[in-house]
Amino acid sequence: MFYFYLVLSAVLLPVLNNFFGILRQPYSWWLVPVLFITSFFGLVLLHLAFVCVWVAFTNVNKPPKHTAAFRKLANITIPLLLKLTRVRVEVTGADKIPENARMLFVCNHQHDFDPILLMSAFGSADIGFIGKKDIYKEMPFIAKAMHRLYCLPIDRKNDRAAAKTIIEAARLLKSGKASIGLFPEGYTSKTCELLPFRNGSFKIGYRSEADIAVCAINNTRSIPRRMFLRRTVIELRVLDVIRYEDYKDITTHELGDKIHTEMETALSEMRSVDKKSRV
């Protein structure tokens, strides 16, 4: 959409000139770039306003409606936002994931931007994330957008409520309505070091009999201090796809240890490469 709006802004100039003769004025040399920039950001703002209105009328207490249409809107809006904020996601290993597959995506968690970046990389997977319940109180607008995308809140302090969330996530995944995105650390890592896993969350995979896409992401904590000013390159790797047949007979603890080791090794390598590139 970023480039589409750039082209559309350029097309609007001769259209406006046809009605108002703008480009025939003596001051048109400076008016052209002003109108071009104004048109571009005007189109972007209209786009974002449309998204906000749609989200604002979401009722989180009812099943989400028109999820396919909203997902398409999200899939064109997220790349637009990343382009505007100068964030580029470099994905490796994406060929391991079949097109339109429904899987359990497991990833480390460095920043609140992580779900958006995963969605941008795997748009056809229709990922809905497991998020902390506090979001629904502290950020109601974000919670409404999440609800539209089949995201689910989890109450970590209430085991019974958490179990219900895991059951519902497995149901969505098994029915093919959405893939499920999971950050098994439970919290964002402020040091970017991999935290211990909450292995009970892997029960989503066992209940849904889904394959697990193991991912690792790095450098997302750099986004807030660099956005708009400097380009931020995010590295996202698909480390492994674990078939259900390969983990169904092991415990959640054993599965968690296997995935934790894979992530820890990959993150160590990614941070090492990142440090070398700064030298």
Side-chain angles (χ1 to χ4, degrees), residues 63-118:
K65 297 179 180 179
H66 311 296
T67 53
F70 188 79
R71 178 73 68 172
K72 290 180 180 178
L73 180 61
N75 285 343
I76 63 175
T77 301
I78 290 173
L80 173 63
L81 292 175
L82 295 181
K83 202 74 177 178
L84 290 171
T85 53
R86 306 189 67 187
V87 175
R88 187 176 80 233
V89 184
E90 294 184 347
V91 185
T92 55
D95 55 309
K96 299 174 183 176
I97 299 176
E99 190 75 13
N100 300 314
R102 295 292 180 267
M103 312 178 76
L104 178 61
F105 285 79
V106 178
C107 190
N108 62 302
H109 202 10
Q110 294 185 351
H111 198 276
D112 293 338
F113 288 118
D114 294 339
I116 295 174
L117 301 175
L118 284 167

Side-chain angles (χ1 to χ4, degrees), residues 43-44 60 65-66 81 107 139 141 143 166 183 214 218 220 241 259-260 268 274 278:
L43 290 168
V44 170
V60 297
K65 297 179 180 179
H66 311 296
L81 292 175
C107 190
M139 296 181 282
F141 183 83
I166 288 174
F183 300 107
V214 182
N218 188 50
T220 55
V241 173
I259 294 175
H260 195 281
S268 178
D274 188 44
R278 295 176 189 173

Side-chain angles (χ1 to χ4, degrees), residues 201-266:
S201 58
F202 292 115
K203 291 178 182 178
I204 296 171
Y206 289 88
R207 283 182 170 273
S208 61
E209 301 182 359
D211 296 340
I212 299 175
V214 182
C215 304
I217 195 167
N218 188 50
N219 202 36
T220 55
R221 294 195 72 83
S222 299
I223 295 176
R225 66 174 184 269
R226 295 166 62 104
M227 65 167 60
F228 302 112
L229 302 175
R230 297 172 60 192
R231 183 176 297 280
T232 305
V233 179
I234 305 301
E235 187 176 4
L236 175 59
R237 295 185 186 181
V238 180
L239 307 178
D240 191 12
V241 173
I242 308 175
R243 306 299 175 187
Y244 172 67
E245 291 75 16
D246 295 333
Y247 73 84
K248 65 180 182 179
D249 295 324
I250 63 176
T251 66
T252 56
H253 183 77
E254 291 171 325
L255 177 61
D257 285 347
K258 171 181 170 60
I259 294 175
H260 195 281
T261 300
E262 288 184 5
M263 280 191 195
E264 200 162 41
T265 301

Side-chain angles (χ1 to χ4, degrees), residues 191-203:
T191 63
C192 295
E193 297 293 330
L194 194 61
L195 302 176
F197 282 175
R198 295 170 179 266
N199 293 320
S201 58
F202 292 115
K203 291 178 182 178

